[in-house]
């Protein structure tokens, strides 16, 4: 299978002039390459450039073979047939069956089209009509439909952007099976550690450009840990050298001050000819000036090395998050559901006769296949959806972070969002609290409409659990979907120290293991 992509000095500029990454030169062959990087590094942009959806501002892209990209933007796509690009071709077949097709249409008709579409859909366990609305599908079903449409194009090189987002265990296994058996080229932007461990190589996109690691996700994480250790050692050495030079410069200045004082005293006492004393003073001043210039140059060089070492550590070091106590008493009832039944208006009941008790600080993972009502359950408990019958008792200070992050106001910036959700915090206090999730200085003024999905999740976390008194009940709906690896690990570390109650919808088993789930609630 022919499949290769070569990038030469490729870069892109947003309409506002923002450049997400430096010019990239990279060669991708017929193997599986993971694409990683911090949120906002430009991973999705790079895939869109390679796939031809965006045009580069400079550089070149050489594509060998047919390239297909997993669609994320479904603007103007309403049905399964639209997603496959087959709506008009299916209409021709319908007219042929009704006897109203023209001779030209009959000559061009693709009679095997429905069978090929069905085969692709069945590969991802989707039993849907070709005219079914995409809006009627769950998040996981939508991802499966997009994967089926991708393979329908019979590509040589596939570009996947977070392919396991929203997928249940079965769907994740299908993606992994696809990748394990893929013999063409694949570039997969993902923060899913299981997906990255199925890769042949990993490319990290960052401020330094694109760096290739010749191994899978585990190899990449180990290499990054070694890089961080080396960078921290270099920072220690640079800090020590800078301090030693500062001390040496102080000693030189003190010695020169003593010599100057001694010279002035001798001139005052008049024990030697004035011309000789002046000459000695001139040589001393010249020597002192030369030493001062040399010492200053060495100190400036050490300061530059120190700053470079600090920047390198900051670039590699994972995000660190700490949370204060929620004040939840052990054994306190947080959620009590009795015979809960509910769904969305106009549809059928998704949750039926459910009983559940959540006692703090218990942690429950809500499990189940796509479409079984996991997100609906969280929406009901949070009060954003009224139940059809049954009762819900829930602790007042609770927060839901849904997959759309509806809690955020996309029309304003990070700081404004924090103050809207925490009206008691002034600007200084808000900036201090936001710094826990690395929103510092001018970054708190970033408008939300320009942020990536992972950055938005970090904003939502900062605005809800980054305050001085986090909610006692935290409900998370697929929280790792858009977080980069560093942010995932930081979230895991934060939740390990969170002392409130957790209700989590996630298909990421490694994440659930890391945060210490107490029990599972499986919906069918």
């Amino acid at each position: 299978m022919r499949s290769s992509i070569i990038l030469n000095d490729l870069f892109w500029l947003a309409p506002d002039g923002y450049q997400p990454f430096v010019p990239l030169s990279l060669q991708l062959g017929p193997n599986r390459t993971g694409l990683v990087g911090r949120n906002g590094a430009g991973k999705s942009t790079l895939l869109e450039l390679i796939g031809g959806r965006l045009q580069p501002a400079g550089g070149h892209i050489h594509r060998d073979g047919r390239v297909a990209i997993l669609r994320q933007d479904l603007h103007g796509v309403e049905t399964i047939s639209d997603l496959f690009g087959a709506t008009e071709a299916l209409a021709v077949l319908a007219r042929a069956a009704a006897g109203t097709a023209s001779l030209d249409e009959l000559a061009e008709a693709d009679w095997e089209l429905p069978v090929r579409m069905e085969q692709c859909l069945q590969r991802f366990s989707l039993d849907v009509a070709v005219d079914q609305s995409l809006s009627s599908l769950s998040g996981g079903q939508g991802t499966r439909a997009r994967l089926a449409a991708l393979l329908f194009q019979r590509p040589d090189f596939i570009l996947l952007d977070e392919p396991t987002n929203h997928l249940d265990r079965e769907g994740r296994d299908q993606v992994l099976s696809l990748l394990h058996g893929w013999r063409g080229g694949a570039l997969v932007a993902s923060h899913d550690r299981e997906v990255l461990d199925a890769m042949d190589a990993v490319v990290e996109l960052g401020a330094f450009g694109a760096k290739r690691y010749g191994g899978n996700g585990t190899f990449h994480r180990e290499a990054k840990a070694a890089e961080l250790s080396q960078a921290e050692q270099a920072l220690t050495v640079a800090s020590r050298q800078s301090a030693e030079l500062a001390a040496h410069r102080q000693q030189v200045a003190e010695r020169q001050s003593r010599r100057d004082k001694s010279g002035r005293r001798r001139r005052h006492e008049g024990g030697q000819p004035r011309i000789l004393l002046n000459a000695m003073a001139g040589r001393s001043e010249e020597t002192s000036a030369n030493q001062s210039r040399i010492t200053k140059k060495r100190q400036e060089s050490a300061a530059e090395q120190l700053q470079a070492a600090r920047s390198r550590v900051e670039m590699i070091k994972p995000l660190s998050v700490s949370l204060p106590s929620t004040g939840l008493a052990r054994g306190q009832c947080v959620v009590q559901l009795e015979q809960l039944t509910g769904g969305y208006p106009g549809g059928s009941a998704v949750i039926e006769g459910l009983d559940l008790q959540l006692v703090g600080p218990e942690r429950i993972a809500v499990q189940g296949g796509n479409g079984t009502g996991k997100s609906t359950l969280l929406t009901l408990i949070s009060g954003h959806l009224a139940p059809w019958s049954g009762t819900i008792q829930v602790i007042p200070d609770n927060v839901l972070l849904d997959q759309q992050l509806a809690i955020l106001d996309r029309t304003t910036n990070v700081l404004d969002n924090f103050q809207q959700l925490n009206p008691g915090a002034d600007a200084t206090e808000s900036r201090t609290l936001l710094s826990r999730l690395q929103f510092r200085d001018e970054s708190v003024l970033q408008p939300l409409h320009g942020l990536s999905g992972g950055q938005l999740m970090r904003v939502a976390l900062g605005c809800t659990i980054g305050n001085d008194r986090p909610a006692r009940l935290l409900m998370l709906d697929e929280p790792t979907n858009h977080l980069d690896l560093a942010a995932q690990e930081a979230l895991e570390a934060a939740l390990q120290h969170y002392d409130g109650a957790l209700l989590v919808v996630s298909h990421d088993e490694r994440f659930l293991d890391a945060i210490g789930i107490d029990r599972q609630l499986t919906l069918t």
Side-chain angles (χ1 to χ4, degrees):
M1 183 180 289
R2 298 180 302 110
S3 55
S4 68
I5 293 172
I6 300 173
L7 312 179
N8 289 316
D9 294 325
L10 180 72
F11 69 96
W12 180 78
L13 294 175
D16 61 0
Y18 173 68
Q19 184 175 333
F21 47 75
V22 299
L24 303 177
S25 293
L26 186 66
Q27 185 167 344
L28 303 167
N31 55 16
R32 297 160 297 188
T33 302
L35 181 63
V36 301
R38 292 192 173 182
N39 296 131
K43 301 181 294 297
S44 296
T45 298
L46 181 58
L47 292 183
E48 295 283 343
L49 287 165
I50 296 173
R53 303 257 179 88
L54 291 176
Q55 295 304 309
H60 302 280
I61 304 174
H62 174 76
R63 305 174 184 87
D64 185 14
R66 185 183 304 160
V67 178
I69 184 170
L70 180 68
R71 298 194 64 160
Q72 294 285 6
D73 178 14
L74 298 180
H75 180 69
V77 180
E78 297 181 357
T79 65
I80 294 290
S81 61
D82 291 339
L83 187 63
F84 278 71
T87 300
E88 182 53 37
L90 289 172
V92 168
L93 295 179
R95 288 195 291 273
T100 59
S102 67
L103 292 177
D104 289 341
E105 287 178 331
L106 291 173
E108 297 294 329
D110 184 353
W111 302 101
E112 297 181 355
L113 174 62
V115 174
R116 295 205 317 276
M117 290 179 64
E118 184 179 1
Q119 288 173 343
C120 289
L121 291 167
Q122 287 180 348
R123 176 166 184 172
F124 293 96
S125 304
L126 275 178
D127 183 15
V128 293
V130 294
D131 60 350
Q132 184 163 338
S133 170
L134 293 179
S135 63
S136 67
L137 304 180
S138 69
Q141 289 172 323
T143 301
R144 294 188 195 195
R146 289 186 291 111
L147 286 164
L150 176 81
L151 291 191
F152 180 74
Q153 300 176 53
R154 297 178 179 175
D156 303 305
F157 203 110
I158 56 176
L159 307 172
L160 308 182
D161 194 356
E162 298 293 355
T164 56
N165 274 5
H166 309 294
L167 290 183
D168 57 19
R169 182 69 259 174
E170 181 185 10
R172 291 165 66 88
D173 287 342
Q174 290 168 342
V175 171
L176 290 168
S177 176
L178 166 66
L179 290 171
H180 282 303
W182 187 253
R183 295 296 175 263
L187 182 61
V188 185
S190 179
H191 302 126
D192 187 320
R193 286 163 285 197
E194 198 171 4
V195 169
L196 292 174
D197 277 343
M199 299 292 103
D200 303 307
V202 173
V203 169
E204 182 172 358
L205 197 59
F208 46 77
K211 182 175 181 180
R212 181 191 294 274
Y213 294 81
N216 65 8
T218 297
F219 178 88
H220 168 255
R221 290 192 295 277
E222 292 171 349
K224 292 292 291 183
E227 287 179 10
L228 177 58
S229 177
Q230 293 170 1
E232 289 177 334
Q233 289 177 9
L235 176 58
T236 300
V237 171
S239 299
R240 184 173 62 247
Q241 289 177 342
S242 180
E244 289 172 352
L245 280 170
H248 176 69
R249 188 176 184 183
Q250 180 65 27
Q251 291 171 358
V252 169
E254 290 173 354
R255 284 197 299 266
Q256 185 60 41
S257 176
R258 289 194 294 270
R259 285 194 292 267
D260 290 344
K261 185 177 181 180
S262 176
R264 287 192 299 271
R265 185 175 63 251
R266 286 196 298 270
R267 284 196 295 274
H268 178 71
E269 294 172 349
Q272 290 181 313
R274 184 170 294 278
I275 190 170
L276 178 60
L277 290 172
N278 288 340
M280 291 172 61
R283 287 195 298 272
S284 176
E285 289 174 0
E286 183 178 355
T287 300
S288 176
N290 287 336
Q291 288 179 339
S292 180
R293 282 194 295 270
I294 292 170
T295 303
K296 183 179 179 182
K297 188 172 182 179
R298 290 175 63 192
Q299 196 168 15
E300 288 174 348
S301 176
E304 290 176 0
Q305 293 176 19
L306 179 59
Q307 182 56 44
R310 281 185 181 139
S311 298
R312 182 64 179 164
V313 169
E314 289 176 1
M315 188 183 300
I316 301 174
K317 195 169 185 176
L319 178 68
S320 178
V321 181
S322 61
L323 298 179
S325 174
T326 64
L328 177 64
R330 180 168 294 276
Q332 181 177 358
C333 184
V334 177
V335 176
Q336 180 78 48
L337 309 181
E338 294 182 357
Q339 290 297 298
L340 177 65
T341 297
Y344 286 91
S348 57
V350 180
I351 304 295
E352 293 188 80
L354 178 65
D355 293 325
L356 173 68
Q357 184 180 59
L358 172 59
V359 176
E362 196 175 17
R363 298 165 177 234
I364 297 179
V366 183
Q367 303 276 274
N370 293 130
T372 55
K374 301 182 297 296
S375 298
T376 304
L377 175 60
L378 298 194
T379 308
L380 286 163
I381 294 174
S382 66
H384 292 93
L385 183 65
W388 293 2
S389 63
T391 60
I392 302 175
Q393 295 180 27
V394 60
I395 201 167
D397 56 331
N398 65 83
V399 171
L400 167 64
L401 296 185
D402 60 12
Q403 294 179 24
Q404 290 73 40
L405 300 178
I407 196 171
L408 298 177
D409 179 359
R410 309 296 176 95
T411 65
T412 185
N413 60 38
V414 177
L415 181 59
D416 287 345
N417 267 273
F418 186 90
Q419 292 186 304
Q420 288 174 16
L421 294 168
N422 300 275
D426 60 24
T428 300
E429 185 181 7
S430 298
R431 285 176 176 269
T432 301
L433 295 171
L434 280 169
S435 68
R436 290 176 178 163
L437 282 157
Q438 291 192 343
F439 288 105
R440 302 188 180 98
D441 302 323
E442 296 306 305
S443 66
V444 301
L445 302 179
Q446 294 178 92
L448 264 59
H449 63 75
L451 300 185
S452 69
Q455 288 172 312
L456 287 171
M457 173 58 80
R458 195 151 54 89
V459 174
L461 289 168
C463 291
T464 55
I465 64 174
N467 54 31
D468 59 354
R469 186 68 175 267
R472 288 179 288 175
L473 169 62
L474 184 59
M475 292 175 280
L476 303 175
D477 193 355
E478 298 289 1
T480 62
N481 265 358
H482 299 289
L483 289 181
D484 61 43
L485 293 172
Q488 283 185 38
E489 291 171 357
L491 175 60
E492 290 169 359
L495 293 180
Q496 286 167 3
H497 294 92
Y498 173 71
D499 63 3
L502 280 175
L503 198 56
V504 184
V505 173
S506 178
H507 297 113
D508 187 337
E509 294 172 3
R510 298 190 189 189
F511 169 73
L512 294 175
D513 288 341
I515 65 173
I517 291 298
D518 296 310
R519 62 186 171 107
Q520 295 183 350
L521 169 66
T522 302
L523 302 180
T524 58

